[in-house]
């Protein structure tokens, strides 16, 4: 059985078959799915999914894309949401200088505020970073000074060296569909280099679909293709990889 540590099943692309898909997770060897918020609305939708389905947990937070749209009470809203049952982390939060959908100073502000919130609530964080690797690291390093920060680098796309630095800060490294792409040499190096007890797998459904379904809508059950690729690269069985990554996901999200 696999755990998909990062999905967006509240996305409108699942509107036609969400219930069927979630009800068939078990038959498709998916034990649990962590549904990740990207703004207040999707954070609330994540909490609703977690309430409705035993095999879904919720993560709440505001993505850098949406940082410009928050109202002045958003931290209070997130704090309230985080008290709900089955809310296990703050995310996805971070910096995205590729799309720059929000001005960078606003991205930084929302990122730092939510890191502080996570520490205050004693919850892990789920980090999104794109074209902002060094600055993301610097902000996390500063936030980690008090020893209260822990979390996940979601769909990690940086170097092996940087991955090791994040691990030193208290982070897990989560790999998704891109590791299956032919051209993704660095992601494959990371897949081999990350210590077994710091590795997670995810889909980021409906995005980043792995081979052989690249181009189609991604679904949690496709996490197996990412798992198979990593297992092959590491020279271990897919069962062994599934077990380790599931244990790691439960450990960082605090699930018994
Ligand atoms: Ni995501």
């Amino acid at each position: 059985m696999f755990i998909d540590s990062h999905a967006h099943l509240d996305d409108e692309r699942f509107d036609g078959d969400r219930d069927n898909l979630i009800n068939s997770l078990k038959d498709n060897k998916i034990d649990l799915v962590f549904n990740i918020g990207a703004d207040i609305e999707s954070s609330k939708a994540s909490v609703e999914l977690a309430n409705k389905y035993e095999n879904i947990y919720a993560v709440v937070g505001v993505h850098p894309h949406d940082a410009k749209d928050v109202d002045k009470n958003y931290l209070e809203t997130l704090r309230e949401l985080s008290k709900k049952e089955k809310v296990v982390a703050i995310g996805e939060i971070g910096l995205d200088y590729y799309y720059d959908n929000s001005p960078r100073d606003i991205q930084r502000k929302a990122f730092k505020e939510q890191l502080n919130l996570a520490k205050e609530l004693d919850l892990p964080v789920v980090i999104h970073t794109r074209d902002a690797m060094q600055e993301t690291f610097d902000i996390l390093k500063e936030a980690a000074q008090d020893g209260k920060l822990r979390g996940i680098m979601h769909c990690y796309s940086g170097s092996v060296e940087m991955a090791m630095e994040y691990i030193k800060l208290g982070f897990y490294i989560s790999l998704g569909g891109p590791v299956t792409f032919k051209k993704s040499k660095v992601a494959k190096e990371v897949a081999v280099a990350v210590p077994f007890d710091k590795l997670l797998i995810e889909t980021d459904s409906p995005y980043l679909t792995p081979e052989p379904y690249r181009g189609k809508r991604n679904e949690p059950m496709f996490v197996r293709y990412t798992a198979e690729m990593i297992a092959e690269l590491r020279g271990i069985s897919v069962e062994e990889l599934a077990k380790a990554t599931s244990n790691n996901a439960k450990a960082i999200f605090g699930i018994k």
Side-chain angles (χ1 to χ4, degrees):
M1 296 291 275
F2 300 100
I3 287 181
D4 181 357
S5 72
H6 191 117
H8 303 277
L9 295 179
D10 55 288
D11 190 278
E12 60 184 15
R13 291 172 74 185
F14 294 108
D15 282 353
D17 62 346
R18 184 176 296 108
D19 290 326
N20 280 342
L21 189 147
I22 296 172
N23 285 323
S24 67
L25 286 172
K26 205 173 174 192
D27 291 338
N28 287 302
K29 293 195 168 172
I30 304 298
D31 198 8
L32 298 174
V33 174
F34 290 84
N35 203 78
I36 315 290
D39 57 14
I40 295 300
E41 197 190 342
S42 60
S43 294
K44 286 179 179 167
S46 293
V47 173
E48 278 171 30
L49 284 175
N51 281 338
K52 190 170 175 190
Y53 297 101
E54 198 183 353
N55 49 1
I56 294 188
Y57 283 85
V59 173
V60 298
V62 175
H63 193 286
H65 287 348
D66 302 281
K68 66 179 185 306
D69 298 320
V70 294
D71 65 32
K72 62 181 191 326
N73 299 320
Y74 87 100
L75 282 174
E76 201 43 51
T77 308
L78 289 176
R79 189 180 282 115
E80 284 308 309
L81 284 173
S82 74
K83 290 176 187 157
K84 308 272 187 198
E85 214 186 338
K86 295 177 81 185
V87 175
V88 292
I90 299 295
E92 57 187 288
I93 62 174
L95 301 174
D96 194 313
Y97 293 172
Y98 179 79
Y99 286 108
D100 277 325
N101 286 354
S102 296
R104 292 183 180 182
D105 56 331
I106 292 176
Q107 292 190 38
R108 281 181 211 113
K109 183 168 181 279
F111 184 24
K112 290 178 185 175
E113 285 172 346
Q114 293 178 92
L115 287 172
N116 285 333
L117 178 68
K119 290 197 290 181
E120 173 202 317
L121 297 167
D122 194 24
L123 288 174
V125 288
V126 176
I127 305 296
H128 169 103
T129 179
R130 189 157 180 200
D131 282 7
M133 194 54 99
Q134 188 60 48
E135 201 178 331
T136 302
F137 180 76
D138 293 342
I139 289 172
L140 290 177
K141 189 172 181 187
E142 198 188 326
Q145 291 304 321
D146 57 9
K148 290 180 179 166
L149 189 69
R150 63 188 191 281
I152 298 166
M153 296 307 297
H154 136 65
C155 203
Y156 180 77
S157 62
S159 67
V160 169
E161 293 72 25
M162 206 64 184
M164 297 308 164
E165 295 298 316
Y166 281 116
I167 289 168
K168 274 190 226 159
L169 287 189
F171 280 79
Y172 286 70
I173 302 295
S174 183
L175 296 176
V179 77
T180 67
F181 301 167
K182 257 207 178 90
K183 284 184 180 164
S184 57
K185 193 168 155 274
V186 178
K188 289 187 174 72
E189 288 170 13
V190 170
V192 175
V194 170
F196 214 36
D197 61 348
K198 294 294 177 189
L199 186 65
L200 298 183
I201 51 174
E202 64 169 78
T203 60
D204 203 18
S205 300
Y207 313 105
L208 296 175
T209 313
E211 296 288 1
Y213 292 108
R214 197 174 177 183
K216 284 190 166 185
R217 183 187 74 174
N218 203 0
E219 300 178 9
M221 66 182 195
F222 294 161
V223 80
R224 74 170 60 186
Y225 299 106
T226 296
E228 281 168 6
M229 174 58 79
I230 299 172
E232 189 187 320
L233 290 166
R234 295 184 77 115
I236 58 171
S237 71
V238 71
E239 290 76 17
E240 211 178 332
L241 185 94
K243 196 173 171 196
T245 52
S246 293
N247 286 340
N248 296 341
K250 286 178 182 169
I252 184 64
F253 286 123
I255 311 290
K256 284 176 197 100

